Amino acid sequence: MQNKSRQITYIGLVLLHIAIGFAIYLFPLLSKVYGLLTLLIGVGIVMKTSNKHNEVLYISAYIAGSEVLLRMTGGNFLNEFSKYGVMLFMLMGIFYSSFSKNSIPYWIYLLLLVPGVVISTVTLDISTDVRKAITFNIVGPVCLGLCSIYAYRRKISFAELSNVLLAAVLPILSTACYLFIYSPDVKDVVTGTSSNFETSGGFGPNQVSTILGLGFFIFFSRMLLNSSNKRYLLINLFFALVLTFRAIVTFSRGGVITGLVMIVVLFGALYTMANLQTKMKLNVVVILTVLAGIGVWGYSSLQTSGLIEKRYANQDAAGREKEDRLGGREQIASTELQMFLENPILGIGVGKNKEYREEITGIRAASHNELTRMLAEHGTLGIFSILILFFTPLVLYVDNRHHFYLLSFFVFWFLTINHAAMRLVAPAFIYSLTLLKVYSIEKPAVHRE
């Protein structure tokens, strides 16, 4: 009876969020209501429960999952609404549940950001809105630091972590629903091989692809680890394939590739921990996954008249190879490395790289690569920050093998910040989940009949 109730709840949540996407398309004003209610209800829940069961993780996950939907539909009340929201809940979580005294690496990380902020107050042009320029570049790293301090070695069960991911993917499902209504016939809006705003809800394809890539990974992992019967398995598989298709037709490759790499890494993590019987099941799942992937790719190719294949082959619509493989990101990254070499100690200051790039190249564009941005704006201190972020989760993984998602989360953070910087709150939040200490009350199976 309890298992049946869980199925009804799960299916009900899925249907509710499909309805949310549909309603926001019909009545755009609901987007602001949706965003505000998420924040207010979340605050109420945390205050009522005093964060006894890590409620801030569930709410922050939901905010991270809903960010792209809010942005593309005008649901944000201010710039970086989602990042500020997540930071608010992390501070509430720290207030109610404290933090690990061993989280000192991330306190150091936050301190290393300060000199770059101070320098920018001197180096930014007089005509520049200093507060806006600094905030745009620093709010993501600060959010990552606060999330990491809260999550560092915090104990959580595997089932609870799976529910945190469910909280993240439900609003991503709403996003996909909105996209289907916004551009139901992909053939009509795909005319070239550049990133497509029409199939991305009129919003940035790179960010839409990123969140959809995370979404299809979560549904795939739920199919693999949280499907207690065939109904669950088919539901999760269906939505994984749907989100994969919508991610592919954005014509933005970063999110799709990241999601696929996350799946491969998850398979690897499970395979190394599995017994012989489970490995046999995994082999079958791998074969079925490859076949399903080929099917989705074939359907995507059909819907785009073969243009998606040219996109991934770095060709234009006529089949000619493009000179620029990464959409101008190489030139932006190279200028940031140049800035680092010219200012290796403390960098040029937070937010200054955009101005500096325009001065030397005539290109006024924000960074797409968080690593080179850190080097340019923070200098050697940026290197120390990157080292802290890169090695800490890997060291913790040594005695955290029940955290099957850890390496996949790490991959999501690392690949995302290399093609989309920290435009979204998702890489900051997902990174922090690598630091959780996961224990398993019930060992997850590939699929339980």
Side-chain angles (χ1 to χ4, degrees):
M1 188 67 181
Q2 186 179 8
N3 191 41
K4 186 176 181 180
S5 176
R6 287 179 180 176
Q7 289 185 37
I8 294 172
T9 302
Y10 179 58
I11 295 172
L13 287 171
V14 166
L15 293 176
L16 172 62
H17 283 82
I18 291 175
I20 288 173
F22 186 76
I24 289 177
Y25 179 82
L26 293 178
F27 308 102
L29 183 61
L30 288 179
S31 181
K32 289 188 180 297
V33 176
Y34 174 59
L36 184 60
L37 283 178
T38 299
L39 187 66
L40 295 179
I41 292 173
V43 170
I45 291 173
V46 175
M47 292 181 67
K48 182 178 180 180
T49 61
S50 298
N51 196 46
K52 289 182 180 178
H53 301 288
N54 291 307
E55 284 80 6
V56 298
L57 288 179
Y58 296 93
I59 299 162
S60 297
Y62 193 87
I63 291 174
S66 64
E67 182 178 14
V68 168
L69 179 61
L70 292 178
R71 285 191 170 192
M72 71 169 56
T73 57
N76 287 337
F77 287 89
L78 71 162
N79 290 332
E80 310 299 350
F81 173 80
S82 297
K83 292 189 181 78
Y84 288 126
V86 169
M87 286 193 289
L88 169 65
F89 286 108
M90 289 300 155
L91 289 172
M92 292 180 72
I94 291 170
F95 174 77
Y96 283 114
S97 307
S98 190
F99 58 89
S100 170
K101 63 181 180 180
N102 295 320
S103 62
I104 189 66
Y106 293 97
W107 288 107
I108 295 174
Y109 163 77
L110 288 177
L111 289 175
L112 291 174
L113 299 177
V114 174
V117 174
V118 175
I119 291 172
S120 65
T121 61
V122 178
T123 59
L124 286 169
D125 290 345
I126 298 175
S127 60
T128 300
D129 185 335
V130 175
R131 182 190 63 81
K132 186 177 180 180
I134 294 174
T135 300
F136 177 80
N137 288 282
I138 204 67
V139 67
V142 171
C143 182
L144 185 150
L146 290 177
C147 290
S148 298
I149 288 169
Y150 174 81
Y152 191 89
R153 304 301 279 174
R154 191 171 295 274
K155 291 184 179 180
I156 186 173
S157 72
F158 181 84
E160 289 169 334
L161 179 57
S162 296
N163 287 333
V164 169
L165 294 182
L166 176 60
V169 83
L170 288 172
I172 298 177
L173 195 57
S174 301
T175 307
C177 177
Y178 181 90
L179 293 174
F180 270 107
I181 304 171
Y182 188 93
S183 54
D185 195 340
V186 173
K187 288 182 179 179
D188 292 340
V189 295
V190 174
T191 57
T193 60
S194 298
S195 295
N196 194 300
F197 282 80
E198 286 299 315
T199 58
S200 304
F203 188 62
N206 194 24
Q207 297 177 45
V208 175
S209 171
T210 295
I211 206 67
L212 291 176
L214 176 63
F216 74 66
F217 165 77
I218 294 175
F219 271 119
F220 177 84
S221 67
R222 290 191 65 80
M223 180 199 75
L224 196 63
L225 300 172
N226 300 105
S227 295
S228 56
N229 55 51
K230 289 183 178 179
R231 178 184 296 180
Y232 269 161
L233 187 146
L234 291 175
I235 290 173
N236 291 321
L237 175 61
F238 173 75
F239 286 119
L241 297 178
V242 166
L243 293 185
T244 301
F245 167 70
R246 289 309 310 197
I248 290 173
V249 297
T250 64
F251 277 71
S252 182
R253 297 164 291 188
V256 177
I257 294 171
T258 298
L260 293 176
V261 175
M262 290 174 75
I263 289 173
V264 172
V265 170
L266 178 62
F267 268 127
L270 291 171
Y271 207 84
T272 57
M273 296 287 290
N275 56 32
L276 182 60
Q277 183 179 4
T278 304
K279 285 180 179 178
M280 295 297 293
K281 288 184 178 181
L282 281 171
N283 291 336
V284 173
V285 173
V286 168
I287 294 172
L288 294 177
T289 300
V290 171
L291 292 176
I294 292 173
V296 172
W297 180 260
Y299 181 72
S300 301
S301 180
L302 182 66
Q303 290 295 302
T304 61
S305 302
L307 289 175
I308 193 63
E309 295 173 359
K310 294 180 179 179
R311 170 62 171 170
Y312 279 77
N314 198 48
Q315 298 174 349
D316 62 17
R320 295 168 299 201
E321 186 171 355
K322 298 178 182 179
E323 293 182 8
D324 187 355
R325 298 193 63 86
L326 299 175
R329 291 179 175 85
E330 305 102 316
Q331 187 174 4
I332 294 175
S334 66
T335 59
E336 287 171 338
L337 291 175
Q338 181 180 338
M339 296 175 208
F340 169 69
L341 294 175
E342 294 176 1
N343 305 270
I345 307 302
L346 297 177
I348 61 174
V350 174
K352 180 64 178 176
N353 81 83
K354 192 173 182 180
E355 292 180 354
Y356 193 94
R357 184 178 302 109
E358 186 175 20
E359 291 173 9
I360 62 177
T361 67
I363 300 173
R364 187 171 180 83
S367 177
H368 286 270
N369 190 309
E370 190 67 13
L371 300 181
T372 55
R373 186 200 68 79
M374 288 285 288
L375 292 177
E377 297 186 351
H378 299 273
T380 303
L381 298 183
I383 295 178
F384 290 133
S385 297
I386 292 168
L387 291 175
I388 289 172
L389 297 179
F390 189 87
F391 286 107
T392 306
L394 301 181
V395 171
L396 295 180
Y397 183 59
V398 173
D399 69 338
N400 199 14
R401 293 305 178 92
H402 279 132
H403 195 339
F404 302 109
Y405 292 115
L406 189 150
L407 295 178
S408 293
F409 290 166
F410 182 82
V411 162
F412 175 78
W413 164 76
F414 186 74
L415 294 184
T416 299
I417 65 171
N418 272 280
H419 73 82
M422 296 190 72
R423 301 284 198 279
L424 300 177
V425 72
F429 177 73
I430 295 297
Y431 173 88
S432 71
L433 299 183
T434 66
L435 307 175
L436 294 169
K437 177 65 176 176
V438 178
Y439 61 92
S440 180
I441 295 175
E442 179 183 0
K443 189 173 181 180
V446 173
H447 171 59
R448 295 188 296 273
E449 293 291 346

